[in-house]
């Protein structure tokens, strides 16, 4: 999901590395996410055509809302996990407690 949010996409490798996420698995998901995202953007641009500026204006506010919501959810998950309220079996890929 992080591949769809520009700022998060740039920073997602930090928690993945800290949690000792497999490089092969991370690369696979990164390439897959990037391919899907770029395909969506290419076709969206093609269909938008001359109305590109109007489309950008319509989605500008939405992207900020999505970014804020994602950050809030990520913070809530982190805090709940830190307090032991979320079990590891649900978030096995990103174990923040590893040394």
């Amino acid at each position: 999901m992080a591949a769809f949010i520009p700022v998060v996409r740039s920073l997602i490798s930090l928690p993945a590395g800290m949690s000792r996420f497999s490089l092969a698995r991370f690369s696979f998901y990164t390439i897959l996410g990037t391919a899907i995202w770029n395909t969506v953007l290419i076709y969206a641009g093609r269909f938008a055509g001359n109305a590109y500026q109007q489309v950008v204006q319509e989605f500008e506010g939405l992207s900020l809302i999505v970014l804020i919501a994602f950050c809030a959810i990520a913070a809530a998950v982190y805090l709940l996990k830190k307090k032991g309220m979320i079990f590891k079996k649900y978030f096995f890929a990103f174990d923040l407690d590893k040394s």
Side-chain angles (χ1 to χ4, degrees):
M1 196 65 188
F4 297 112
I5 304 173
V7 174
V8 177
R9 180 177 54 228
S10 300
L11 300 174
I12 195 63
S13 57
L14 294 173
M18 290 180 351
S19 67
R20 309 231 190 277
F21 201 78
S22 163
L23 179 60
R25 190 173 179 191
F26 179 77
S27 297
F28 171 75
Y29 285 124
T30 299
I31 292 168
L32 179 65
T34 301
I36 293 169
W37 183 241
N38 285 329
T39 302
V40 168
L41 290 178
I42 289 167
Y43 279 103
R46 182 175 178 158
F47 290 124
N50 294 334
Y52 176 76
Q53 290 300 326
Q54 182 181 355
V55 171
V56 168
Q57 288 175 351
E58 294 292 329
F59 284 102
E60 195 170 52
L62 180 64
S63 64
L64 180 61
I65 292 169
V66 169
L67 177 63
I68 291 170
F70 180 80
C71 290
I73 291 169
V77 168
Y78 175 78
L79 293 173
L80 290 172
K81 184 173 181 181
K82 195 81 166 162
K83 291 185 177 207
M85 298 175 78
I86 296 178
F87 298 105
K88 284 186 178 182
K89 69 179 181 178
Y90 296 114
F91 294 97
F92 62 90
F94 295 104
D95 187 6
L96 299 176
D97 299 328
K98 280 187 177 178
S99 299

